[in-house]
Amino acid sequence: MFGILRTLWLTFLHMAHRRVTVGYPEHKPPLPPRYRGRIILSRDPDGMERCVACNLCAVACPVDCISLQKAEQDGRWYPDYFRINFSRCIFCGMCEESCPTYAIQLTPDFEMSEYLRPNLVYEKDDLLISGTGKYPDYSFYHVAGVKIPGKDKGEAERESPPIDLHTLLP
Amino acid sequence: MTAPMPVIIGVTLAILLGLATFLTWFERRLLGLWQDRYGPNRVGPGGILQAVADGIKILFKQDWIPPFADRGVFVLAPAIGMMTVLLSFGVVPVTAFWSIAGTLNVGLLFVLAMMGMGVYGVVLAGWASNSKYALLGSMRAAAQMISYEVFMGLSVLGVVMQAGSFTMRDIVLAQSGLWFVVPQALGCAVFTLAGIAETHRLPFDLPEGENELGAGFHTEYSGMKFGMFFLAEYAGVVLVSALLVTLYLGGWEGPLLPPALWFALKTSALVCLFVLLRAALPRPRYDQLMALGWKILLPLSLLNIAATGAILLLHAPG
Ligand code: SF4
Ligand code: SF4
């Protein structure tokens, strides 16, 4: 009995408390930088596409909403097309975790409603940004042992030159 | 001084229906206030047009009757629910000069009878729906409302004894010295609880119990027929508040302000109390509800009658 009256009184006192609701369209809630929202494809510091079309993100995606095709130019791999169907994406971030080159990243933007479902299919043009996203200094080709124009084998960071097999001969 | 009867009826009806509609919004805002959130605040100033928007939406919904339902009774049930509540208002005296039948010499009995009829609305709704959740809900409603009606009737007997009349107007006039809430505190408490159970509002909304019964007795209802149940519930809240004011809180009496304003103020304060109950309390288990009724409220109200009778006899002249 007393407990019930106390509950009533405490609830009544809540009249003077601040409301916790954030009135969304007028007040945007502050989103942390690692919020999982709209997906982008980033570029490395040299302005080249980071994605090497390894397909790991497409494999990791639990709802199979990424589709891409590899193309090659001067030893660099890049996606010919890269398509994310956002009407299926569940914003789990698995693609970002699986990406070996930090190319695919989720951003704190969730306002992507559309009236037509096909408009939610984003092509590479829509996904690719001109910046580096969350990792300003990382460049995959500078640390990987792949040969590209202007960087031969063995010239990457913390990579020793390839061993001349002839010196190993007895 | 007295206005012509059609005017009184029309104005009362308009105010009542408007109030019930408005309450759907008001309750949600108030619940929001007590639960640290906003509630509907988008449509119109402060969200007040939300009630209108809901009304428009519910009016344009398909008026669907399930093929397995008993059509006639299915349509009749919400009308009964609404009608009994509205008829009960007939005997509530707003002021000494403004009431439809405030001088009816069996006024209080009429209210109790109408509340008894109100059970039919709920029970027939569940029965005609022909679905298990609705039937379970209406079975609970039948048990709950019939048993709480007993205590409701017993609890107001103290008031009747003190006032010496069943007429609502005389009951208010008898309170000009001291409001009955003081000598009849026990009866007032029992009446409040029974009133909540009678309107099946939280925390006594077991007939609806949405976490176990879908929506209880109105599971199969949609569109405006559901709206009728909804409005009847809110009108019922206003009715029980108005009855509490009339029977225990001195009706229209109060200093300075005009009588009608006093009546409105007291009634709205009680409506807010009803909302507070909903905001704060969880729903009891069904057997707890019945145990509370038969094991606590019934003896209490009998005690109240006996004590009131004894004291009145002791003070009786001669
Ligand atoms: S966030 Fe999850 S669902 Fe969306 S594309 Fe990446 S892996 Fe697929
Ligand atoms: S985005 Fe990353 S994981 Fe996906 S194909 Fe490109 S490099 Fe591979």
Side-chain angles (χ1 to χ4, degrees):
Chain A
M1 184 63 207
F2 176 71
I4 290 178
L5 292 181
R6 183 162 171 273
T7 313
L8 286 179
W9 174 242
L10 287 182
T11 312
F12 185 73
L13 286 187
H14 266 265
M15 214 152 62
H17 287 204
R18 244 166 54 97
R19 307 184 201 246
V20 292
T21 315
V22 180
Y24 159 59
E26 295 92 23
H27 304 109
K28 309 271 185 207
L31 296 178
R34 301 207 316 192
Y35 187 88
R36 299 201 305 265
R38 180 171 57 88
I39 299 174
I40 50 112
L41 286 175
S42 58
R43 292 174 186 271
D44 62 19
D46 309 329
M48 306 293 279
E49 283 176 41
R50 265 182 181 156
C51 175
V52 294
C54 67
N55 264 312
L56 281 177
C57 52
V59 171
C61 178
V63 294
D64 267 353
C65 67
I66 303 181
S67 136
L68 66 142
Q69 174 66 53
K70 188 197 99 179
E72 201 173 337
Q73 193 181 19
D74 303 331
R76 287 182 77 116
W77 289 15
Y78 68 94
D80 185 24
Y81 67 82
F82 197 108
R83 193 171 291 146
I84 299 185
N85 182 353
F86 278 111
S87 69
R88 275 213 242 160
C89 176
I90 56 174
F91 299 99
C92 63
M94 293 292 186
C95 46
E96 177 169 6
E97 284 195 35
S98 67
C99 180
T101 67
Y102 292 146
I104 193 165
Q105 295 176 10
L106 279 74
T107 60
D109 170 23
F110 56 89
E111 295 168 323
M112 39 197 308
S113 317
E114 296 282 356
Y115 281 104
L116 294 177
R117 209 160 255 265
N119 291 349
L120 280 169
V121 178
Y122 281 38
E123 295 293 341
K124 191 167 132 182
D125 275 353
D126 313 317
L127 296 168
L128 198 62
I129 62 168
S130 48
T132 54
K134 283 181 264 190
Y135 306 92
D137 302 326
Y138 181 81
S139 172
F140 174 71
Y141 284 103
H142 286 174
V143 293
V146 191
K147 180 179 162 205
I148 52 165
K151 191 206 82 168
D152 208 345
K153 271 196 191 301
E155 289 177 3
E157 288 162 27
R158 295 202 298 279
E159 189 191 14
S160 352
I163 292 185
D164 183 0
L165 286 182
H166 300 289
T167 61
L168 294 177
L169 289 176
Chain B
M1 218 22 215
T2 321
M5 192 50 67
V7 175
I8 296 187
I9 295 181
V11 170
T12 310
L13 205 61
I15 289 183
L16 211 57
L17 289 179
L19 208 60
T21 318
F22 163 80
L23 258 186
T24 59
W25 165 80
F26 182 70
E27 174 177 42
R28 287 158 71 192
R29 277 314 296 260
L30 213 55
L31 281 180
L33 181 66
W34 280 320
Q35 294 170 349
D36 294 349
R37 55 193 175 82
Y38 284 101
N41 61 349
R42 296 281 158 177
V43 199
I48 190 162
L49 293 183
Q50 181 72 40
V52 181
D54 287 348
I56 293 174
K57 179 192 162 205
I58 216 163
L59 270 178
F60 281 94
K61 278 208 167 178
Q62 186 188 6
D63 192 20
W64 194 71
I65 299 178
F68 45 80
D70 184 341
R71 288 186 69 93
V73 185
F74 191 83
V75 176
L76 195 63
I80 295 179
M82 192 79 192
M83 189 191 68
T84 53
V85 173
L86 289 184
L87 279 181
S88 307
F89 268 100
V91 296
V92 175
V94 178
T95 73
F97 306 105
W98 185 278
S99 73
I100 298 171
T103 50
L104 185 68
N105 60 359
V106 288
L108 197 47
L109 292 181
F110 180 78
V111 171
L112 291 177
M114 277 304 139
M115 292 209 159
M117 289 274 290
V119 182
Y120 281 106
V122 176
V123 172
L124 289 182
W127 178 256
S129 297
N130 224 343
S131 102
K132 53 179 178 285
Y133 292 128
L135 188 62
L136 281 172
S138 68
M139 264 164 51
R140 286 183 178 187
Q144 168 182 330
M145 291 170 86
I146 289 174
S147 29
Y148 275 78
E149 219 141 73
V150 176
F151 328 130
M152 190 176 227
L154 289 178
S155 62
V156 295
L157 277 190
V159 170
V160 175
M161 280 189 220
Q162 284 208 310
S165 166
F166 276 112
T167 311
M168 296 294 236
R169 186 156 168 253
D170 296 349
I171 291 178
V172 177
L173 290 177
Q175 299 180 57
S176 47
L178 181 64
W179 291 357
F180 282 160
V181 68
V182 181
Q184 291 291 329
L186 208 55
C188 181
V190 175
F191 185 86
T192 313
L193 287 179
I196 304 168
E198 208 47 43
T199 47
H200 42 85
R201 293 261 316 163
L202 258 146
F204 291 154
D205 69 337
L206 287 134
E208 286 162 47
E210 49 278 87
N211 46 7
E212 55 221 47
L213 291 182
F217 64 90
H218 55 59
T219 306
E220 304 293 342
Y221 280 86
S222 58
M224 204 51 216
K225 287 205 278 302
F226 166 74
M228 290 257 271
F229 276 127
F230 211 62
L231 288 186
E233 180 179 325
Y234 284 95
V237 171
V238 181
L239 172 68
V240 171
S241 308
L243 283 179
L244 267 168
V245 169
T246 312
L247 296 178
Y248 294 101
L249 296 178
W252 65 79
E253 290 179 2
L256 295 178
L257 300 175
L261 200 57
W262 267 115
F263 186 82
L265 272 181
K266 292 176 187 173
T267 309
S268 40
L270 282 174
V271 170
C272 291
L273 180 73
F274 268 71
V275 178
L276 180 62
L277 284 174
R278 175 170 181 184
L281 297 181
R283 189 183 290 138
R285 226 168 47 218
Y286 189 59
D287 57 319
Q288 290 172 334
L289 177 84
M290 294 310 264
L292 172 74
W294 290 107
K295 291 187 187 158
I296 300 178
L297 295 186
L298 181 64
L300 274 185
S301 44
L302 287 177
L303 185 73
N304 184 40
I305 293 177
T308 313
I311 292 173
L312 280 181
L313 272 184
L314 284 180
H315 289 266

